[in-house]
Amino acid sequence: MSSSSAVRVAVIGAAGRMGGQTCAAVEAAEDLELVARIGAGDDVAAVVRESGAQVAIDFSVPAATEANVHAALDAGADVVVGTTGWDDYSRGRVAEHLERLAAAGDGPGPGVLIAPNFGLSAVLAMTFAARAARYFESAEVVELHHPDKVDAPSGTARHTAAAIAAARAEAGLEPSPDATQNGWDARGADVDGVRVHAVRLRGLVAHEEILFGNAGEQLTIRQDSFDRASFMPGVLLAVREVGSRPGLTVGLENVLDLS
C-alpha cells in the first residue's frame, strides 16, 4: 500500500506493452502510487487533473506523444516520456512550453524528461560510445528491434549517433571514410553524418551494436534487452527524479552518476 507521501503517477498508453509493464512497476513501488491509466481517446489533461497525478508517464505512440506532453503539463504534472519519434522541432516546442509555465509561476516550473531508452545497459552503451568516438576513424550504428516497432531508426540509435557525431566534431575528425558511389539506400540512415542501420526481426526486443574502426582494429559495443522488465528500473528512476529537474532533460544518462 502506498503511503500518503507517495508520488502520484498517471500512465498514458497504459493498454500497450510498455504501458502495462509500467503500471505494474509503479504499483509494486512503495514510494509511488498509480492513480490513472490513460488510453487512446481519453482526455489526457482532464484525467491527469482529476486524478491529481504529479507525474505522467507517456508510452503512447509517436503521433500522439507531443500533444500528450503538452496536455499533461497544462494539467500541472511533470512528464516522463518513453515514446520515440521526437525531433529538434518537437523538443523545442516542449522546451518553450516549459519556459512559459516557469515564467508564469512562482517556482522553477515543471520538468519533462524524454528518454530514448530506459534500459541501463543501453544508456551505458550510449555513454561509452560518445566517449570512444573521438578515437576512431570510422563509426556506424546497428539497431535491432521487433517488427511491430513503428519508427526507424529507433530513438535510441538516433540519440547514440548524434552523441557520436558531436564527439567527433569536437575532436575535429573528418567524416568516416566511405567510397560508396551508388546504392546509398543500402548504407542506412544518415544521422549527423553517422550511418545508422535498422533491423526488424521477429523474436527481437531491443538491441544495439555500435561499431568503431581504425586501421587494424575494431571496437564493438553491444547492448541487448531481452525483456521489457529491463526498462523498469530506469522508468522508476526517471519518475523519482523529474520533479527535481525543471525544464527539458533529454536522456536518462543525465540523471545517472556517470562521471
Side-chain angles (χ1 to χ4, degrees):
M1 180 179 296
S2 298
S3 69
S4 59
S5 61
V7 177
R8 297 168 63 83
V9 178
V11 176
I12 305 170
R17 290 182 293 269
M18 280 297 295
Q21 191 120 29
T22 298
C23 289
V26 170
E27 289 181 315
E30 293 184 357
D31 60 335
L32 306 178
E33 180 183 1
L34 182 66
V35 296
R37 299 171 184 257
I38 302 174
D42 290 339
D43 185 327
V44 172
V47 176
V48 170
R49 188 177 293 111
E50 292 167 5
S51 67
Q54 297 164 282
V55 178
I57 308 173
D58 184 273
F59 275 115
S60 58
V61 294
T65 184
E66 184 188 346
N68 291 340
V69 170
H70 290 298
L73 286 173
D74 286 336
D78 297 312
V79 190
V80 170
V81 184
T83 308
T84 57
W86 291 81
D87 58 25
D88 290 340
Y89 298 105
S90 54
R91 287 189 293 266
R93 289 189 290 268
V94 169
E96 291 172 0
H97 191 171
L98 287 164
E99 290 171 3
R100 291 196 301 272
L101 291 172
D106 296 328
V112 172
L113 193 158
I114 300 175
N117 198 308
F118 286 102
L120 299 183
S121 61
V123 173
L124 290 170
M126 288 186 278
T127 302
F128 297 156
R131 294 182 180 178
R134 66 179 58 242
Y135 301 108
F136 291 88
E137 184 180 16
S138 296
E140 303 215 0
V141 178
V142 182
E143 57 96 339
L144 309 93
H145 284 80
H146 56 86
D148 300 318
K149 185 171 180 58
V150 298
D151 60 324
S154 68
T156 298
R158 288 186 178 277
H159 193 65
T160 303
I164 289 171
R168 289 173 61 86
E170 183 180 349
L173 296 184
E174 296 293 327
S176 293
D178 190 343
T180 302
Q181 295 184 2
N182 52 62
W184 280 104
D185 54 340
R187 291 289 294 115
D190 184 326
V191 178
D192 297 343
V194 177
R195 289 286 163 181
V196 180
H197 310 270
V199 175
R200 296 293 176 267
L201 195 68
R202 186 65 69 196
L204 298 176
V205 177
H207 316 262
E208 184 176 50
E209 192 165 85
I210 307 151
L211 307 172
F212 294 106
N214 281 331
E217 67 173 344
Q218 179 178 318
L219 171 66
T220 301
I221 301 172
R222 171 85 185 202
Q223 176 273 330
D224 298 281
S225 296
F226 301 110
D227 191 286
R228 290 177 179 83
S230 66
F231 304 127
M232 292 304 107
V235 172
L236 299 186
L237 174 63
V239 170
R240 293 170 179 131
E241 291 287 335
V242 67
S244 64
R245 295 177 176 272
L248 177 62
T249 300
V250 179
L252 190 66
E253 64 271 21
N254 294 293
V255 302
L256 296 174
D257 183 7
L258 299 176
S259 58

